[in-house]
Amino acid sequence: MTRKPTIPCLRLALSLLIALTLTACGARRTERVILPADFKGPKELSRLYGVRLTPDDNIFLYNAGAHWLGVPHRMGGLTKRGVDCSGFVQIIYREIYGKRLERTAADMLKKNCKRVGRGRLREGDLVFFRTGRSRTPNHVGIYLKNGRFIHTSTSRGVMVSSLSEPYYTRTWLTGGRVK
């Protein structure tokens, strides 16, 4: 005489079968991300940048920028011993977004970006300025949030500034969304 399986046993067997099917098919994989030992958390980054970071913010962008803060300006430089504004933007964009940008601010705007107005800037957009007598952009930074951007200043190196500072209001040219 054979016994029929009970309802609870059938439910358990069905649940196990569904779970095995989902994991075997890789319906949702969670990759383990290994963070470098010097990775900074949201609280420390919020303090460094003067903005409150949320889960919607690209913490990798903020972290990469934080490792460059204070690096001196060096025209044509591409290292932590010295970097210029377009070199800094180029390095961060390659590292964080995997995109190769042109080497000068003017070429970045012309070949890599679609212009966006100041009021439509999003995290990661580029911000362009025209200083001195230049007719084309000769300074570039990366927009963060709340009017703040990271860039390389000739006098203070890599730093965070506000678009509302009089100098940046006066020299503002446009924003650029990288294509």
Side-chain angles (χ1 to χ4, degrees):
M1 175 172 190
T2 58
R3 277 180 78 192
K4 290 185 180 177
T6 62
I7 299 292
C9 288
L10 286 174
R11 284 186 186 148
L12 177 63
L14 186 60
S15 297
L16 287 171
L17 182 62
I18 291 171
L20 271 171
T21 304
L22 289 176
T23 56
C25 295
R28 181 173 185 117
R29 285 188 177 168
T30 54
E31 293 184 31
R32 188 172 173 183
V33 177
I34 299 172
L35 301 174
D38 57 351
F39 193 84
K40 297 175 184 344
K43 285 184 181 180
E44 187 177 357
L45 291 170
S46 292
R47 184 186 53 75
L48 275 173
Y49 285 98
V51 296
R52 186 176 153 268
L53 295 181
T54 69
D56 293 332
D57 296 318
N58 184 343
I59 195 164
F60 296 103
L61 170 63
Y62 288 87
N63 214 338
H67 288 97
W68 285 83
L69 288 173
V71 170
H73 176 269
R74 178 180 290 166
M75 188 58 82
L78 291 169
T79 69
K80 297 251 175 119
R81 290 177 55 204
V83 67
D84 64 17
C85 66
S86 58
F88 170 71
V89 168
Q90 190 181 48
I91 290 166
I92 295 294
Y93 245 81
R94 186 179 62 239
E95 184 179 318
I96 301 303
Y97 300 105
K99 294 186 178 185
R100 292 194 176 275
L101 301 180
E102 297 295 324
R103 183 60 178 94
T104 67
D107 284 343
M108 283 178 188
L109 178 59
K110 184 177 180 181
K111 298 177 182 177
N112 300 129
C113 293
K114 175 187 169 204
R115 287 178 183 245
V116 293
R118 193 176 185 147
R120 294 188 47 224
L121 288 171
R122 294 191 306 220
E123 178 183 83
D125 283 345
L126 303 185
V127 287
F128 295 94
F129 305 89
R130 190 173 41 209
T131 62
R133 297 176 190 254
S134 176
R135 296 184 59 72
T136 60
N138 58 355
H139 187 63
V140 62
I142 302 172
Y143 186 75
L144 300 170
K145 67 187 290 185
N146 300 342
R148 300 186 63 75
F149 67 102
I150 188 166
H151 64 115
T152 305
S153 155
T154 54
S155 60
R156 295 181 40 207
V158 178
M159 61 182 289
V160 178
S161 296
S162 172
L163 291 174
S164 62
E165 292 174 32
Y167 178 78
Y168 297 111
T169 300
R170 187 174 64 252
T171 59
W172 169 262
L173 179 62
T174 190
R177 186 144 310 136
V178 176
K179 301 176 199 173

PDB file of all heavy atoms in Angstrom, residues 1-2 26 28-31 37 45 53 55 77 92-93 99 106 110 123 131 138 146 149 159 164:
ATOM      1  N   MET A   1       0.844  -1.165   0.000  1.00  0.00           N
ATOM      2  CA  MET A   1       0.000   0.000   0.000  1.00  0.00           C
ATOM      3  C   MET A   1       0.895   1.236   0.000  1.00  0.00           C
ATOM      4  O   MET A   1       1.764   1.375   0.830  1.00  0.00           O
ATOM      5  CB  MET A   1      -0.891  -0.071   1.231  1.00  0.00           C
ATOM      6  CG  MET A   1      -1.729   1.096   1.434  1.00  0.00           C
ATOM      7  SD  MET A   1      -2.798   0.611   2.794  1.00  0.00           S
ATOM      8  CE  MET A   1      -3.882   1.866   2.785  1.00  0.00           C
ATOM      9  N   THR A   2       0.700   2.135  -0.967  1.00  0.00           N
ATOM     10  CA  THR A   2       1.495   3.360  -1.064  1.00  0.00           C
ATOM     11  C   THR A   2       0.748   4.509  -0.436  1.00  0.00           C
ATOM     12  O   THR A   2      -0.472   4.628  -0.569  1.00  0.00           O
ATOM     13  CB  THR A   2       1.807   3.693  -2.540  1.00  0.00           C
ATOM     14  OG1 THR A   2       0.589   3.821  -3.214  1.00  0.00           O
ATOM     15  CG2 THR A   2       2.681   2.642  -3.151  1.00  0.00           C
ATOM     16  N   GLY A  26      19.818  31.886 -12.739  1.00  0.00           N
ATOM     17  CA  GLY A  26      20.467  33.169 -12.496  1.00  0.00           C
ATOM     18  C   GLY A  26      19.492  34.313 -12.675  1.00  0.00           C
ATOM     19  O   GLY A  26      19.832  35.344 -13.239  1.00  0.00           O
ATOM     20  N   ARG A  28      18.420  36.455 -10.762  1.00  0.00           N
ATOM     21  CA  ARG A  28      18.931  37.710 -10.208  1.00  0.00           C
ATOM     22  C   ARG A  28      20.268  37.403  -9.556  1.00  0.00           C
ATOM     23  O   ARG A  28      20.334  36.771  -8.514  1.00  0.00           O
ATOM     24  CB  ARG A  28      17.957  38.297  -9.202  1.00  0.00           C
ATOM     25  CG  ARG A  28      18.488  39.589  -8.652  1.00  0.00           C
ATOM     26  CD  ARG A  28      17.456  40.276  -7.780  1.00  0.00           C
ATOM     27  NE  ARG A  28      18.000  41.552  -7.401  1.00  0.00           N
ATOM     28  CZ  ARG A  28      17.475  42.692  -7.727  1.00  0.00           C
ATOM     29  NH1 ARG A  28      16.381  42.741  -8.422  1.00  0.00           N
ATOM     30  NH2 ARG A  28      18.019  43.819  -7.328  1.00  0.00           N
ATOM     31  N   ARG A  29      21.312  37.873 -10.162  1.00  0.00           N
ATOM     32  CA  ARG A  29      22.638  37.664  -9.603  1.00  0.00           C
ATOM     33  C   ARG A  29      23.048  38.870  -8.794  1.00  0.00           C
ATOM     34  O   ARG A  29      22.837  39.990  -9.211  1.00  0.00           O
ATOM     35  CB  ARG A  29      23.664  37.473 -10.710  1.00  0.00           C
ATOM     36  CG  ARG A  29      23.586  36.135 -11.347  1.00  0.00           C
ATOM     37  CD  ARG A  29      24.739  35.988 -12.271  1.00  0.00           C
ATOM     38  NE  ARG A  29      24.702  34.660 -12.837  1.00  0.00           N
ATOM     39  CZ  ARG A  29      25.415  34.278 -13.843  1.00  0.00           C
ATOM     40  NH1 ARG A  29      26.226  35.114 -14.429  1.00  0.00           N
ATOM     41  NH2 ARG A  29      25.342  33.057 -14.290  1.00  0.00           N
ATOM     42  N   THR A  30      23.641  38.623  -7.689  1.00  0.00           N
ATOM     43  CA  THR A  30      24.208  39.719  -6.916  1.00  0.00           C
ATOM     44  C   THR A  30      25.714  39.559  -6.963  1.00  0.00           C
ATOM     45  O   THR A  30      26.248  38.539  -6.514  1.00  0.00           O
ATOM     46  CB  THR A  30      23.707  39.708  -5.455  1.00  0.00           C
ATOM     47  OG1 THR A  30      23.958  38.420  -4.901  1.00  0.00           O
ATOM     48  CG2 THR A  30      22.226  40.008  -5.384  1.00  0.00           C
ATOM     49  N   GLU A  31      26.358  40.511  -7.580  1.00  0.00           N
ATOM     50  CA  GLU A  31      27.803  40.459  -7.671  1.00  0.00           C
ATOM     51  C   GLU A  31      28.406  41.090  -6.441  1.00  0.00           C
ATOM     52  O   GLU A  31      27.926  42.099  -5.946  1.00  0.00           O
ATOM     53  CB  GLU A  31      28.276  41.203  -8.920  1.00  0.00           C
ATOM     54  CG  GLU A  31      27.844  40.506 -10.180  1.00  0.00           C
ATOM     55  CD  GLU A  31      28.393  41.190 -11.403  1.00  0.00           C
ATOM     56  OE1 GLU A  31      29.485  41.765 -11.329  1.00  0.00           O
ATOM     57  OE2 GLU A  31      27.711  41.128 -12.426  1.00  0.00           O
ATOM     58  N   ALA A  37      40.579  49.634   0.146  1.00  0.00           N
ATOM     59  CA  ALA A  37      40.715  49.927   1.575  1.00  0.00           C
ATOM     60  C   ALA A  37      40.510  51.408   1.875  1.00  0.00           C
ATOM     61  O   ALA A  37      40.067  51.767   2.957  1.00  0.00           O
ATOM     62  CB  ALA A  37      42.075  49.468   2.066  1.00  0.00           C
ATOM     63  N   LEU A  45      32.185  61.519   2.867  1.00  0.00           N
ATOM     64  CA  LEU A  45      32.114  62.220   1.583  1.00  0.00           C
ATOM     65  C   LEU A  45      31.183  63.434   1.676  1.00  0.00           C
ATOM     66  O   LEU A  45      31.490  64.484   1.111  1.00  0.00           O
ATOM     67  CB  LEU A  45      31.653  61.269   0.484  1.00  0.00           C
ATOM     68  CG  LEU A  45      32.651  60.182   0.108  1.00  0.00           C
ATOM     69  CD1 LEU A  45      32.017  59.147  -0.806  1.00  0.00           C
ATOM     70  CD2 LEU A  45      33.893  60.775  -0.541  1.00  0.00           C
ATOM     71  N   LEU A  53      24.822  63.347   0.767  1.00  0.00           N
ATOM     72  CA  LEU A  53      24.727  62.284  -0.225  1.00  0.00           C
ATOM     73  C   LEU A  53      23.572  61.350   0.111  1.00  0.00           C
ATOM     74  O   LEU A  53      23.304  61.074   1.275  1.00  0.00           O
ATOM     75  CB  LEU A  53      26.025  61.491  -0.293  1.00  0.00           C
ATOM     76  CG  LEU A  53      27.242  62.265  -0.790  1.00  0.00           C
ATOM     77  CD1 LEU A  53      28.466  61.385  -0.835  1.00  0.00           C
ATOM     78  CD2 LEU A  53      26.991  62.854  -2.155  1.00  0.00           C
ATOM     79  N   PRO A  55      21.313  57.644  -1.422  1.00  0.00           N
ATOM     80  CA  PRO A  55      21.543  56.426  -2.215  1.00  0.00           C
ATOM     81  C   PRO A  55      21.436  56.659  -3.728  1.00  0.00           C
ATOM     82  O   PRO A  55      21.938  55.865  -4.512  1.00  0.00           O
ATOM     83  CB  PRO A  55      20.443  55.473  -1.730  1.00  0.00           C
ATOM     84  CG  PRO A  55      20.152  55.926  -0.339  1.00  0.00           C
ATOM     85  CD  PRO A  55      20.298  57.429  -0.382  1.00  0.00           C
ATOM     86  N   GLY A  77      49.384  68.260 -16.881  1.00  0.00           N
ATOM     87  CA  GLY A  77      49.596  67.157 -15.944  1.00  0.00           C
ATOM     88  C   GLY A  77      48.463  66.152 -15.926  1.00  0.00           C
ATOM     89  O   GLY A  77      47.302  66.502 -16.133  1.00  0.00           O
ATOM     90  N   ILE A  92      38.810  61.098 -14.459  1.00  0.00           N
ATOM     91  CA  ILE A  92      37.639  60.692 -13.679  1.00  0.00           C
ATOM     92  C   ILE A  92      36.589  60.042 -14.589  1.00  0.00           C
ATOM     93  O   ILE A  92      36.008  59.014 -14.244  1.00  0.00           O
ATOM     94  CB  ILE A  92      37.027  61.889 -12.917  1.00  0.00           C
ATOM     95  CG1 ILE A  92      38.010  62.411 -11.869  1.00  0.00           C
ATOM     96  CG2 ILE A  92      35.681  61.519 -12.285  1.00  0.00           C
ATOM     97  CD1 ILE A  92      38.312  61.456 -10.733  1.00  0.00           C
ATOM     98  N   TYR A  93      36.365  60.615 -15.755  1.00  0.00           N
ATOM     99  CA  TYR A  93      35.362  60.058 -16.661  1.00  0.00           C
ATOM    100  C   TYR A  93      35.742  58.668 -17.146  1.00  0.00           C
ATOM    101  O   TYR A  93      34.899  57.771 -17.246  1.00  0.00           O
ATOM    102  CB  TYR A  93      35.083  61.005 -17.840  1.00  0.00           C
ATOM    103  CG  TYR A  93      33.673  61.499 -17.759  1.00  0.00           C
ATOM    104  CD1 TYR A  93      33.338  62.555 -16.916  1.00  0.00           C
ATOM    105  CD2 TYR A  93      32.644  60.875 -18.449  1.00  0.00           C
ATOM    106  CE1 TYR A  93      32.044  62.982 -16.790  1.00  0.00           C
ATOM    107  CE2 TYR A  93      31.334  61.300 -18.335  1.00  0.00           C
ATOM    108  CZ  TYR A  93      31.038  62.340 -17.501  1.00  0.00           C
ATOM    109  OH  TYR A  93      29.736  62.746 -17.370  1.00  0.00           O
ATOM    110  N   LYS A  99      34.349  56.145 -20.165  1.00  0.00           N
ATOM    111  CA  LYS A  99      34.278  56.904 -21.424  1.00  0.00           C
ATOM    112  C   LYS A  99      35.557  57.690 -21.638  1.00  0.00           C
ATOM    113  O   LYS A  99      36.090  58.282 -20.714  1.00  0.00           O
ATOM    114  CB  LYS A  99      33.086  57.869 -21.401  1.00  0.00           C
ATOM    115  CG  LYS A  99      31.766  57.148 -21.370  1.00  0.00           C
ATOM    116  CD  LYS A  99      30.614  58.101 -21.499  1.00  0.00           C
ATOM    117  CE  LYS A  99      29.311  57.316 -21.514  1.00  0.00           C
ATOM    118  NZ  LYS A  99      28.171  58.176 -21.750  1.00  0.00           N
ATOM    119  N   ALA A 106      37.628  72.776 -24.714  1.00  0.00           N
ATOM    120  CA  ALA A 106      36.932  73.148 -25.952  1.00  0.00           C
ATOM    121  C   ALA A 106      36.545  71.912 -26.764  1.00  0.00           C
ATOM    122  O   ALA A 106      35.416  71.824 -27.267  1.00  0.00           O
ATOM    123  CB  ALA A 106      37.804  74.084 -26.790  1.00  0.00           C
ATOM    124  N   LYS A 110      32.830  70.434 -27.761  1.00  0.00           N
ATOM    125  CA  LYS A 110      32.532  70.318 -29.192  1.00  0.00           C
ATOM    126  C   LYS A 110      32.260  68.869 -29.622  1.00  0.00           C
ATOM    127  O   LYS A 110      31.333  68.610 -30.377  1.00  0.00           O
ATOM    128  CB  LYS A 110      33.706  70.882 -29.994  1.00  0.00           C
ATOM    129  CG  LYS A 110      33.500  70.913 -31.480  1.00  0.00           C
ATOM    130  CD  LYS A 110      34.688  71.565 -32.157  1.00  0.00           C
ATOM    131  CE  LYS A 110      34.529  71.610 -33.657  1.00  0.00           C
ATOM    132  NZ  LYS A 110      35.719  72.219 -34.295  1.00  0.00           N
ATOM    133  N   GLU A 123      24.072  65.249 -11.954  1.00  0.00           N
ATOM    134  CA  GLU A 123      25.333  64.706 -11.472  1.00  0.00           C
ATOM    135  C   GLU A 123      26.109  64.065 -12.634  1.00  0.00           C
ATOM    136  O   GLU A 123      25.559  63.303 -13.415  1.00  0.00           O
ATOM    137  CB  GLU A 123      25.024  63.641 -10.423  1.00  0.00           C
ATOM    138  CG  GLU A 123      26.237  62.953  -9.849  1.00  0.00           C
ATOM    139  CD  GLU A 123      25.811  61.878  -8.874  1.00  0.00           C
ATOM    140  OE1 GLU A 123      25.490  60.755  -9.322  1.00  0.00           O
ATOM    141  OE2 GLU A 123      25.783  62.171  -7.667  1.00  0.00           O
ATOM    142  N   THR A 131      37.316  81.847 -19.396  1.00  0.00           N
ATOM    143  CA  THR A 131      38.038  82.818 -18.570  1.00  0.00           C
ATOM    144  C   THR A 131      38.938  83.674 -19.455  1.00  0.00           C
ATOM    145  O   THR A 131      39.310  83.271 -20.549  1.00  0.00           O
ATOM    146  CB  THR A 131      38.884  82.104 -17.498  1.00  0.00           C
ATOM    147  OG1 THR A 131      39.862  81.282 -18.150  1.00  0.00           O
ATOM    148  CG2 THR A 131      38.020  81.222 -16.611  1.00  0.00           C
ATOM    149  N   ASN A 138      37.764  77.304 -21.759  1.00  0.00           N
ATOM    150  CA  ASN A 138      39.142  76.957 -21.412  1.00  0.00           C
ATOM    151  C   ASN A 138      39.229  76.442 -19.973  1.00  0.00           C
ATOM    152  O   ASN A 138      40.318  76.302 -19.424  1.00  0.00           O
ATOM    153  CB  ASN A 138      40.086  78.132 -21.640  1.00  0.00           C
ATOM    154  CG  ASN A 138      39.686  79.353 -20.858  1.00  0.00           C
ATOM    155  OD1 ASN A 138      38.654  79.372 -20.201  1.00  0.00           O
ATOM    156  ND2 ASN A 138      40.486  80.389 -20.949  1.00  0.00           N
ATOM    157  N   ASN A 146      23.486  70.289  -6.097  1.00  0.00           N
ATOM    158  CA  ASN A 146      23.248  71.515  -5.320  1.00  0.00           C
ATOM    159  C   ASN A 146      24.167  72.664  -5.733  1.00  0.00           C
ATOM    160  O   ASN A 146      24.648  73.416  -4.885  1.00  0.00           O
ATOM    161  CB  ASN A 146      23.409  71.252  -3.821  1.00  0.00           C
ATOM    162  CG  ASN A 146      22.444  70.212  -3.299  1.00  0.00           C
ATOM    163  OD1 ASN A 146      21.448  69.909  -3.938  1.00  0.00           O
ATOM    164  ND2 ASN A 146      22.732  69.649  -2.150  1.00  0.00           N
ATOM    165  N   PHE A 149      30.506  71.754  -7.912  1.00  0.00           N
ATOM    166  CA  PHE A 149      31.241  71.007  -8.925  1.00  0.00           C
ATOM    167  C   PHE A 149      32.688  70.832  -8.473  1.00  0.00           C
ATOM    168  O   PHE A 149      33.201  71.582  -7.660  1.00  0.00           O
ATOM    169  CB  PHE A 149      31.162  71.701 -10.293  1.00  0.00           C
ATOM    170  CG  PHE A 149      31.861  73.034 -10.372  1.00  0.00           C
ATOM    171  CD1 PHE A 149      33.111  73.152 -10.978  1.00  0.00           C
ATOM    172  CD2 PHE A 149      31.271  74.183  -9.853  1.00  0.00           C
ATOM    173  CE1 PHE A 149      33.754  74.379 -11.060  1.00  0.00           C
ATOM    174  CE2 PHE A 149      31.907  75.417  -9.937  1.00  0.00           C
ATOM    175  CZ  PHE A 149      33.152  75.518 -10.537  1.00  0.00           C
ATOM    176  N   MET A 159      39.643  70.937  -6.293  1.00  0.00           N
ATOM    177  CA  MET A 159      38.801  71.458  -5.225  1.00  0.00           C
ATOM    178  C   MET A 159      37.337  71.423  -5.636  1.00  0.00           C
ATOM    179  O   MET A 159      37.004  71.179  -6.801  1.00  0.00           O
ATOM    180  CB  MET A 159      39.202  72.897  -4.898  1.00  0.00           C
ATOM    181  CG  MET A 159      39.039  73.849  -6.074  1.00  0.00           C
ATOM    182  SD  MET A 159      39.563  75.527  -5.718  1.00  0.00           S
ATOM    183  CE  MET A 159      38.276  76.062  -4.623  1.00  0.00           C
ATOM    184  N   SER A 164      27.482  79.359  -7.843  1.00  0.00           N
ATOM    185  CA  SER A 164      26.963  80.666  -7.464  1.00  0.00           C
ATOM    186  C   SER A 164      28.060  81.640  -7.015  1.00  0.00           C
ATOM    187  O   SER A 164      27.757  82.806  -6.750  1.00  0.00           O
ATOM    188  CB  SER A 164      25.902  80.515  -6.375  1.00  0.00           C
ATOM    189  OG  SER A 164      26.467  79.954  -5.215  1.00  0.00           O
TER     190      SER A 164
END
